[in-house]
Amino acid sequence: DGDPLTITWEVTRGSLTAQNTQNTVMRWAVPATAGTDTVTIRANDGSVTTTLTAEVKAGTLQTSNTALSAYIKVNSPYILDPSDADPRIAVVANATMNVEPGVELLINTEGTYFDVAGDVEAHGTQDEPIVIRPNNRTFKCTTDPKWWEGFRGVSNDTDGSLDCEYVEIWDANWGVRLLQNSRAVLRDCRILCSGEAGIRFEGNGSFWAVDTRISDGIGDGISIGGPSIVSLPDSIRIEGCAIVFN
């Protein structure tokens, strides 16, 4: 009805500085440590107040091409920003990448992939899944399904394995791609909005998917085969899974 508005902002950490006289645009000086904060906005016209709240997150930046040995919830979300020239995050042979429940890994560089020659141990829970997705909230499912490359398993006889439980992988060309003798176990995972395949198994190792949902990709849900297979896979088990709209 044309009444002037008084707009106020609050945030749980850091500080906000007005960028115009109407207080409709603010700049957030982020806190020094990672975490999730709540911003509260109130608009009052002299008689009625409307309140909006939203979560904002301060993350931990990683520019290295080598995976950390441990991704922990207290430092989440992690913003993974390898170089454009080499968008690889390597889990090297004889090393382990551990991911705690509730961790978010946000991919900041197009074409990024996890190059798994060692071991990935990512164990979320039903209440605190591990979420891996692009650091871009404007993406809509199946509009950018090849933006990053997902997990790529390569191995010798002893390395190259993924053990994932309650892990969500969004908008990857392949959520998981297994080559050579690499192996993976996926339990209660979700692979969403993939490109060529949610899971592509073209190696000679082993692959188990149990109670896992693969949905809304533009290619295959699970693809088994390919030119790199030189002998029969060691083991394939698909049990209790849902493959929907792929």
Side-chain angles (χ1 to χ4, degrees):
D1 57 5
D3 290 340
L5 298 179
T6 299
I7 300 174
T8 58
W9 298 64
E10 297 175 2
V11 68
T12 50
R13 297 189 307 160
S15 61
L16 295 168
T17 304
Q19 302 299 294
N20 59 10
T21 57
Q22 297 84 14
N23 277 1
T24 58
V25 179
M26 305 292 282
R27 182 181 296 277
W28 183 35
V30 301
T33 56
T36 300
D37 295 280
T38 300
V39 60
T40 302
I41 308 155
R42 297 181 178 88
N44 178 271
D45 70 350
S47 58
V48 177
T49 299
T50 295
T51 302
L52 302 174
T53 61
E55 286 188 346
V56 289
K57 297 180 179 181
T60 299
L61 181 65
Q62 178 188 336
T63 58
S64 170
N65 288 99
T66 302
L68 302 182
S69 60
Y71 292 89
I72 60 177
K73 184 180 177 182
V74 70
N75 290 334
S76 178
Y78 290 84
I79 300 170
L80 307 184
D81 193 28
S83 68
D84 292 331
D86 183 11
R88 175 176 56 100
I89 299 176
V91 183
V92 298
N94 301 313
T96 301
M97 168 183 158
N98 292 285
V99 189
E100 287 186 350
V103 165
E104 285 186 276
L105 302 179
L106 308 181
I107 311 300
N108 216 43
T109 303
E110 186 173 359
T112 293
Y113 65 98
F114 290 91
D115 190 26
V116 182
D119 299 316
V120 173
E121 297 285 341
H123 298 283
T125 66
Q126 186 172 7
D127 294 332
E128 291 190 303
I130 294 164
V131 178
I132 307 169
R133 61 173 179 79
N135 187 28
N136 188 328
R137 303 302 176 92
T138 67
F139 278 9
K140 295 181 180 179
C141 195
T142 73
T143 60
D144 297 276
K146 298 183 179 182
W147 191 82
W148 74 290
E149 295 293 322
F151 286 89
R152 184 181 304 176
V154 297
S155 83
N156 53 37
D157 290 337
T158 59
D159 299 314
S161 72
L162 294 92
D163 191 342
C164 299
E165 185 174 13
Y166 289 105
V167 174
E168 298 181 7
I169 302 173
W170 291 77
D171 297 295
N173 194 24
W174 301 280
V176 174
R177 184 184 183 192
L178 299 174
L179 303 167
Q180 299 179 33
N181 296 317
S182 59
R183 54 201 181 275
V185 176
L186 308 178
R187 296 182 298 274
D188 294 292
C189 293
R190 298 176 66 203
I191 300 177
L192 306 102
C193 310
S194 55
E196 293 191 28
I199 299 169
R200 181 164 176 80
F201 183 68
E202 51 183 305
N204 313 111
S206 62
F207 162 59
W208 286 20
V210 180
D211 297 328
T212 288
R213 181 180 177 89
I214 303 158
S215 65
D216 301 296
I218 63 171
D220 296 324
I222 298 176
S223 172
I224 299 173
S228 64
I229 289 184
V230 296
S231 63
L232 291 176
D234 181 59
S235 174
I236 295 175
R237 176 184 177 188
I238 301 170
E239 178 182 341
C241 295
I243 302 175
V244 184
F245 300 128
N246 291 281

